[in-house]
Structures are given as C-alpha cells and as structure tokens.
C-alpha cells in the first residue's frame, strides 16, 4: 500500500506545516506508514523555523496521490487538495470550525485549542511517545505562530502548558526571544508583491451564499502596509471574489485594521461596529481571524 | 449556566443511550456540568439492559434546552434534536461517517470503531477515571449491541479488547450468555406494530438528492417478520419517503433480507448485486447497516 499523505491547508502557515510533520510522526509511531506534505512553499516565518531547527521544507502537492489521506489544521474541502472527494480521509487533526462530510467512519481529533501543535503535543504525551528535540522545536513554533506568543484570545491553558514543556524538550532557554524573532521574520513584507501579501494566508469561506475571502498579514507597522493600499486594492479586484477582507495585524500591540472590497459594506460595518473609511475599518484588539473576525461576519450573513 | 445536555440520535438504540450516560460521566469527571438525555423511549433491548443493571431510563427531549450540547453516536443534523442549529455543540463522540457543519471550533472524538461505548471506555482509561461497575455494564452492552457480540464486520480489535475488560469491571462472569439474552430481548417483535417495527431503528439519509430511509430490525427468524410483509408495506407507504429499505437481520446466523419500496429498484439491485423478488432482496452475510448497507447504496447514488 502506498504511504498515507498527511497535509495541512492551502497557503500553509507555520502551524499547518509543523502539524503535518508532527501528525505523521505520531501515526508512524502508532504503526501507520505516512509522510508529510504541504500545499505550497513555506512562508517567511515558517522558513525561519525550518532553518532554525535544520529541517527540510516539505514536498509540495496540489492533489493527493495516495488512496488515504490525513488532514491537519483544516477540514473544509475548499482549503484542501483539489481531489479530496476522490480519496478516503483516515484522520483529521484540527482546531477550526467544521464543515466536513464523507462516506466512511474515520478518526477525528478536534479540540478548540490555540494550535494543532498543542493537540499533537498532548496526543504524543498520552500515547507515551518520545518527542525528539527537533520536533519539539517545530511544535512550539506552531503554538507561537497561531497564538502570537500566547497573546491571541484563541490561547487556552493547554497552549500555555504545552509551550514551556516543549521548550524544555527542544533545549530552548529563551522561548520568548525565539518567538519574537520568529514572528518578526514573518513580517518583512517589502519583498512580497501585493498579490503575495493577499494570498499568503488567505482562506475562502461561504457565508450565507456569499463567497468570502479573508486574508491576514502580521506586521510591526500597519501604516507600512496601508501605504500599499492602491496596489492591494487592484490585486484584490483581480482575484474576483464577491467579498474580500484583508486583515492587517500589529503583532506587537495586538491590534488590526482591515481593508475591504465587496458589495456589502454595511454588513461589514454592522459586524464590527465601526465605519469603513476609504475602504479601511479599524479593529482594535483584534488579532484572531478565527475567533474575532469570522464569527461576527457569520453573525451578519 | 444551565447544565450541558448530552444525547444520542433519534430512535435511540442501546449504544446511543449508554454512550450518553458514559459521555456525561466522563465530562463531569473532567469538570463540566452535564446531564444525559435521550430522543425517545428505550427499545426492548435497551430496556433489558437498564433493568439488568438497575438504571433509570433517560429523560426524553426533542429539543435542546441548554445553550451548549454534546452529541454522542451521531453528528448529522437529520438525526439530532430539531433545534440543533440554534445551540452550540461543545463535543461530539461518534463512530459514523460525518456530515457536520458549525460556526465555532469544538471537541470531536471520532474513531471508526464498533461502538461509541468502546471509544468512551478508552477515553476513561486514558484519563485514569474509575469506571463504576454499573457504568461498565452499560458500556459493554453498547458494544454487544452495535457489534452483535463482536460478530459484525464493524468490530475492531479495540472492541474485542474493551469487552472483557468491561465485563471484569462489571463483575459479569459470562458475558456471552448475557449478550445473547440481551440481543434476544430486542427481537420479540410480536408486540410491536408494523409502524413501530419500521421506525424502531430507522435513520434518514440524503443520497444524491434522494431522501432515503433505512430501517433495521434484529430477529432470530427472518420469515417470521416477512409474514407481516403486507402490513409493513402499507406502513412504509404511509411514511411517504422516496426510498425505504427495511433490513431484517438474523442475529444468530448473521444474514439479512431487506424489503424495499421506492422508485429506483434498479439501483438497489445494482448496489447489492441481487434481484428484488416481490420487493424483497436477499443480503447474505449482511448485518451492518453502516458498513454493508449504506456504502454500496452511496456508491449507486
């Protein structure tokens, strides 16, 4: 039998990449024959992580070529491989809302925690499987990335417990300094085109019949990104979604502003209780798309 | 905050009832405040189990009245409470195929094992929570019911491992005799009306746009049930489904025959590779709706 392919969502971020590696390790230790893949190149932050812990980047696929697959950090078909409907899902490890159907019973390990890396840490602990230093470094990077160093409101006690334990296993003395350096490595946006910025972490959602695209970028200076507004708007229009919301998040001060193009500005204003000014809406205190952006939008649509 | 309601699917069977009790116990031990309910009266087999282990039957609900709920042994809205869309699902424990969407991250513990009772046994073990003798008796009854005493092809090594362990905890010396008596208690069909027979364990499925109803009844004599064919067909027509397949399973010899009324007999014949004769199709070796009836039908629709 061919190896089971393990992969995260399109536009891979750090948690999706390290979770594919972690889930593949866990399942192989439990007797399966799996291999980790990614649906795209590592972003700058993930590349920093891979370089730091001396790990090769994952081979890239856009279609599964194994009969069985394992999904990490996503469950919706829109975020998965193009031929998901043609393969059997063996296991899902995820921490998102669900929109999943299939034809056969399967394993699902879902918890509403800050990162899938946290879930995998506790699964490995429960199964009494040793976590090598390198994998511990990868998993703690997934936690740091998804929780913005435990500052995001998605952070749970499980993440707070896992991070220092993984740091000990990784032999990382100052996890805070490492985390800030890693997050900053993801915010050098000058070398990325407008379209690359938009697509870097963008996900598609269907809300009340609307095709909604929500991108997010982390920065240390929101105005730096908004200086590129004209070019970003041209690139957003070119993508052709009904609604496009591009969230620009200041990771140092835990605030966001979002650029919106679409045909329902009144719903956006109602969802966040703020006015759009020149297509920009202020989102004070917002850092989490999953917890602070998607739910109010779904409430409106 | 109101207690979180824990419940299984409509037309409750033994595994769905004992799993609601087991999941509520597990979650309460972990610090939640939950209570088990059922979406209907216990069937004859479940009543035998409750009487044997001296457990009250669960209070019945058709709508959730708590803001948060826990689903056991099902995940599809069609099998759940009428107002599922209005409440937040906190956790799902299940062993079926999935067709679930929601708006917020949640816990899902799904495994393709023989019974949800087995999943709960291993969750309790992993959490090092003591299993009282009475609960052990209930959980082993869930395994026996869903796996037909480990004979169904849905049976996994996990079920085979859990059953004797639970029997020891329950102080049950001869689990085989208990299991046969329990299964037979569910097959006294003479006191049940045609409509009760059909609806006893019936579930609705949507397959390729068709509203499909699949019922199943266990017996020790298939001909006994087919002697009531005329009355059963009248009751099936009265229910008004596009397609109705009523599977009659001989639990001693592990065979089934099914009665079919609907507008696509050719698809039924193609799905099972047998001819319908007087609306009846022979299903040798078939005992599992989930594993041997639904998948071939989904392959056709």
């Amino acid at each position: 039998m061919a190896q089971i392919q393990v992969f995260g969502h399109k536009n891979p971020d750090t948690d999706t990449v390290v979770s594919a590696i972690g889930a593949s390790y866990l399942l192989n230790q439990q007797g399966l024959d799996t291999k980790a893949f990614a649906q795209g190149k590592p972003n700058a932050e993930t590349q920093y992580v891979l370089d730091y812990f001396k790990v090769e980047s994952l081979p890239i696929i856009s279609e599964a070529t194994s009969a069985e697959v394992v999904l990490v950090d996503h469950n919706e078909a829109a975020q998965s491989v193009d031929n998901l409907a043609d393969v059997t899902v063996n296991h899902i490890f995820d921490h998102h809302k669900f929109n999943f159907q299939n034809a056969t019973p399967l394993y699902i390990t879902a918890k509403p925690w800050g990162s899938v890396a946290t879930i995998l840490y506790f699964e490995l602990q429960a199964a009494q499987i040793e976590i090598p230093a390198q994998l511990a470094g990868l998993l703690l990077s997934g936690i740091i990335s998804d929780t913005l160093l435990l500052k995001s409101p998605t952070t749970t006690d499980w993440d707070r417990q896992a991070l220092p334990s993984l740091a000990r296993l990784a032999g990382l003395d100052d996890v805070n300094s490492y985390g800030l350096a890693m997050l900053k490595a993801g915010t050098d946006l000058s070398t990325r085109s407008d379209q690359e910025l938009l697509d870097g972490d963008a996900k598609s959602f269907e809300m009340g019949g609307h095709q909604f695209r929500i991108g997010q970028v982390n920065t240390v200076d929101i105005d730096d990104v908004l200086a590129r507004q004209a070019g970003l708007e041209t690139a957003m229009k070119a993508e052709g979604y009904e609604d496009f919301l591009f969230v620009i998040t200041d990771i140092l001060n835990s605030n966001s502003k979002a650029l919106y193009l679409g045909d329902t500005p009144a719903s956006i204003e109602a969802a966040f209780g703020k006015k759009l000014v020149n297509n920009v809406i202020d989102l004070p205190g917002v850092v989490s798309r999953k917890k602070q952006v998607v739910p109010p939008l779904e409430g409106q649509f």
Side-chain angles (χ1 to χ4, degrees), chain A residues 43-49 179-189 192 251:
Chain A
N43 64 29
E45 180 193 283
T46 309
Q47 192 61 57
Y48 179 93
V49 172
L180 279 176
M182 180 200 120
L183 290 171
K184 277 191 191 159
T187 68
D188 178 13
L189 309 178
R192 295 161 69 189
I251 55 165

Side-chain angles (χ1 to χ4, degrees), chain A residues 100-118:
Chain A
F100 179 77
Q101 6 188 332
N102 71 341
T104 48
L106 77 166
Y107 288 92
I108 305 181
T109 307
K111 299 174 197 286
W113 296 353
S115 76
V116 177
T118 308

Side-chain angles (χ1 to χ4, degrees), chain A residues 94-193:
Chain A
D94 200 8
H95 67 143
H96 292 92
K97 74 190 182 74
F98 263 69
N99 181 4
F100 179 77
Q101 6 188 332
N102 71 341
T104 48
L106 77 166
Y107 288 92
I108 305 181
T109 307
K111 299 174 197 286
W113 296 353
S115 76
V116 177
T118 308
I119 298 171
L120 289 168
Y121 167 71
F122 282 100
E123 290 290 310
L124 287 160
Q125 289 283 100
Q128 299 183 298
I129 294 169
E130 196 196 339
I131 304 177
Q134 194 183 47
L135 179 61
L138 295 178
L139 291 177
L140 70 83
S141 304
I143 299 175
I144 292 168
S145 177
D146 263 25
T147 66
L148 296 178
L149 252 174
L150 307 180
K151 278 194 204 147
S152 165
T154 57
T155 310
T156 67
D157 284 342
W158 304 97
D159 308 300
R160 289 183 198 100
Q161 193 181 327
L163 186 57
S165 302
L166 285 166
R168 271 191 300 279
L169 289 170
L172 199 64
D173 290 334
D174 188 348
V175 71
N176 219 50
S177 300
Y178 166 76
L180 279 176
M182 180 200 120
L183 290 171
K184 277 191 191 159
T187 68
D188 178 13
L189 309 178
S190 58
T191 62
R192 295 161 69 189
S193 72

